[in-house]
Amino acid sequence: MKGEIKETAGKMAEEIRERQNPDGTWSFCFENSPMTDAYMIILIRSLYFKEDALVSQLVKRLLNMQTKEGTWKLFKDEAEGNLSATIEAYFALRYSGLLHEKDPRLVKAERFIKHMGGLEKAHSLTKMMLAVHGQYEWRHIMPVPIEVLLIPRTFPISFWDFSSYARAHIVPFLLVRDARYHLQSARTPNIRHLFLQGRSDSLHDIDEDRFFLFEKLKEGIKGLAGFPELLRSEARQFAKDYMLKRIERDGTYLSYFSTTFFMIYALKSIGYRSDSSIIKNALDGLKRMICQTDNGPHVQNSPSLIWDTALISHALQESGLSFENETIRKSVDYLLKHQHYKFGDWAIYLPDVSPGGWGFSESNSIHPDVDDTTAALRAITYSAGAKPEIRHAWERGVDWVLGMQNRDGGWPAFEKNKTKGILASFPLDGAEAAAIDPSTADLTGRTLEFLGSRAGLTKDHPDVKRGITWLTMTQEENGSWAGRWGIHFIYGTWAAVTGMRAAGVPSSNKRIGKAEKWLENIQRTDGGWGESCYSDQRGKYVPLSFSTVSQTAWALDALISISDQPTPAIEKGMGRLLELLHSEESSPAHTYPTGAVLKDVFYAHYHSYQYIWPLLTLNHYLKKYG
């Protein structure tokens, strides 16, 4: 089998090299939920932009993705369908003007929406979009006054305690809600008949934590000096300035589709015209996020150019390609050009740490994250060893990563110590995951893996030791770790195990042993691994009925890092991985979403993952076993 592994790895490396762009990048689609496609249709139609061809293509894609029952799903094994995704697609198709409201496909979707409880059972993001277009009452959504934006950072709870992702969304939400903004015209479809119960029960049943949060926010607002109307005006100006200062060079607001979409309506609510340069540039930026899929054009929430380029460059170097090779040299040159030199919001509480990170998307210049930074640093490590100017960039990146370590010893995604649990009670669905930016097993494990394998830091280094301690304290009873940005326990366990092993934790360590046993216990009879997105939603391991390429590669990579000799589980798994790599790329093994972004809303299918993780795993097997 080693011969087949070597041959497959060689062919994969050559194929991925041939896909490199002239500028040194690799561009793959970051495919997420139908929401972005639906929202793009709604945006174009509601603002009367002349984009009929694009609307037609997006409508075709949505219809291609509709199930025979008339629903839309976030992942293949989702029962029946996803209510919010179905509402969004239904409203977008109605708004497109290309389907009659009595079209059988729309009738089926409407029947499902009613069956699932109507508009009031949708996700907060969906309700916000509907409210903007006059289909939902603002009084039922996020009853938070805009003045909370002015609560000083010194107060126990303030706007600045939220994660950067949450802040980016909360600002336009508060602005449009404060104005009770409705953008309706003759072409706006009326779907208010799908609001079945007359109110949103979830916002009326306030639990103790949410009550405490509201009381604290009220207390913070009472402490503000000034007349009520003046404070409100000041808060609205703050919201406007916050968004405008974070517009990237491509016109988008922090390089996200979702934030940019709501920013456009927030600006409309304070008087901006649809033909203003800011709104037109924002639309152009969103159009540049479009990638091509088998079902037609898809609007990515945030293109993954930096992430994919860094990971592929590293994987090719792991397969034996020298840093002096032109393929690697071009990718390194590109990554160096996109290292951050600006102070972003992350620096508010870290004024002594210099910029040095990387973001997920090419346009991202002020919103770096730990995962992309360690990915880029892996890719430039060998080059940094030979060239002093690259060494300086590498050291800046390492310093930034070390500076981002949370006080508990783990690593967050975007900002340090955004961990106030009470903010999980903020009245937005998914706040428990998005409102804060805590340490996670995948980010901590991946950071430790970089520090151990590329930066030469061992388990005795104080920062590494704190990271390992955090991981040991957060391991699940069954031996797994929960991930945050991948699905879910397989991803977290892979990251934690490979991170601890790279830092020098021995295979005999009982935590490592428990993880190994868990991975072997969940191995499928076909030899592979497959985990459902339901694991992310339910907080417990839920298997798939099939194996996936990326999850099989993650599990194998973790087991390979543990064992000095190929075990039966590894051998059987490698055999299955080879079979999967030779299967149709359109099969669920390749296309099932194994990336997690926002629970119940975004699950991501990284088109690059069918190359990156198996290539790394195949080469790690060959390096270790012959």
Side-chain angles (χ1 to χ4, degrees), residues 72 78 81-88 112-113 116-118 121-122:
W72 281 263
E78 188 172 30
N82 183 274
L83 175 60
S84 293
T86 300
I87 291 171
E88 291 161 351
F112 172 76
I113 294 168
M116 296 298 288
K121 298 298 183 182

Side-chain angles (χ1 to χ4, degrees), residues 292-438:
Q292 295 299 321
T293 72
D294 292 341
N295 283 319
H298 168 60
V299 185
Q300 302 167 96
N301 192 51
S302 188
S304 55
L305 197 62
I306 301 292
W307 177 245
D308 289 335
T309 298
L311 291 176
I312 290 170
S313 180
H314 166 63
L316 287 173
Q317 291 176 76
E318 285 290 278
S319 71
L321 209 59
S322 168
F323 71 91
E324 297 176 313
N325 184 278
E326 184 182 10
T327 297
I328 303 303
R329 180 182 56 76
K330 288 167 65 176
S331 66
V332 169
D333 287 346
Y334 173 83
L335 290 170
L336 290 171
K337 291 174 184 175
H338 289 84
Q339 187 175 25
H340 290 195
Y341 285 84
K342 298 178 183 178
F343 287 92
D345 287 351
W346 58 267
I348 292 173
Y349 294 100
L350 290 174
D352 297 329
V353 176
S354 298
W358 278 264
F360 187 71
S361 300
E362 184 178 67
S363 65
N364 186 326
S365 68
I366 56 172
H367 191 46
D369 67 90
V370 171
D371 222 6
D372 279 284
T373 300
T374 59
L377 289 171
R378 284 185 189 89
I380 72 171
T381 292
Y382 294 128
S383 302
K387 299 180 180 180
E389 65 275 18
I390 298 179
R391 177 77 184 192
H392 176 66
W394 185 87
E395 288 174 346
R396 284 179 55 240
V398 173
D399 288 344
W400 187 82
V401 168
L402 292 174
M404 289 291 289
Q405 188 173 24
N406 277 336
R407 65 172 64 93
D408 62 13
W411 270 268
F414 300 103
E415 291 182 342
K416 183 174 182 173
N417 294 330
K418 301 296 180 183
T419 56
K420 292 185 178 179
I422 189 64
L423 298 178
S425 298
F426 194 77
L428 281 174
D429 294 326
E432 67 278 4
I436 56 178
D437 190 3

Side-chain angles (χ1 to χ4, degrees), residues 104-319:
R105 293 165 293 189
L106 294 179
V107 172
K108 284 184 179 181
E110 185 170 313
R111 188 182 304 128
F112 172 76
I113 294 168
K114 290 179 178 178
H115 170 69
M116 296 298 288
L119 304 184
E120 57 266 48
K121 298 298 183 182
H123 192 279
S124 297
L125 283 174
T126 309
K127 293 175 182 176
M128 198 75 64
M129 178 274 293
L130 292 173
V132 165
H133 295 94
Q135 306 304 303
Y136 205 89
E137 295 293 336
W138 280 114
R139 59 193 174 91
H140 294 320
I141 307 173
M142 202 174 69
V144 177
I146 196 170
E147 290 85 353
V148 301
L149 299 176
L150 302 179
I151 297 174
R153 296 202 306 266
T154 53
F155 193 72
I157 297 176
S158 79
F159 166 71
W160 295 99
D161 290 319
F162 286 93
S163 72
S164 56
Y165 178 86
R167 293 199 308 271
H169 287 84
I170 287 172
V171 166
F173 289 171
L174 288 176
L175 201 51
V176 292
R177 187 187 186 280
D178 180 72
R180 301 298 193 271
Y181 179 67
H182 290 151
L183 180 61
Q184 285 181 278
S185 67
R187 66 165 55 174
T188 308
N190 183 358
I191 65 168
R192 292 176 67 91
H193 61 288
L194 296 178
F195 190 76
L196 303 182
Q197 297 177 14
R199 68 181 181 90
S200 177
D201 294 332
S202 62
L203 291 183
H204 287 71
D205 300 329
I206 299 179
D207 60 23
E208 185 177 340
D209 287 342
R210 183 168 292 178
F211 178 79
F212 177 76
L213 175 62
F214 282 176
E215 290 301 304
K216 276 295 178 186
L217 292 176
K218 288 178 184 177
E219 184 182 332
I221 293 172
K222 286 180 181 178
L224 297 173
F227 294 105
E229 278 305 309
L230 186 61
L231 287 174
R232 183 182 173 216
S233 177
E234 187 179 343
R236 289 171 64 80
Q237 184 65 41
F238 174 92
K240 172 188 169 182
D241 292 343
Y242 186 91
M243 294 186 298
L244 296 184
K245 289 177 181 177
R246 288 159 181 79
I247 292 178
E248 290 285 11
R249 62 184 179 273
D250 65 348
T252 65
Y253 170 32
L254 285 177
S255 303
Y256 293 126
F257 176 92
S258 56
T259 52
T260 306
F261 174 87
F262 285 106
M263 177 194 74
I264 289 172
Y265 292 108
L267 293 176
K268 289 280 293 178
S269 77
I270 56 175
Y272 278 71
R273 291 169 53 92
S274 300
D275 60 358
S276 69
S277 59
I278 289 179
I279 290 180
K280 288 172 66 177
N281 290 340
L283 178 68
D284 288 342
L286 296 182
K287 286 167 62 179
R288 283 192 286 271
M289 291 183 173
I290 293 173
C291 67
Q292 295 299 321
T293 72
D294 292 341
N295 283 319
H298 168 60
V299 185
Q300 302 167 96
N301 192 51
S302 188
S304 55
L305 197 62
I306 301 292
W307 177 245
D308 289 335
T309 298
L311 291 176
I312 290 170
S313 180
H314 166 63
L316 287 173
Q317 291 176 76
E318 285 290 278
S319 71

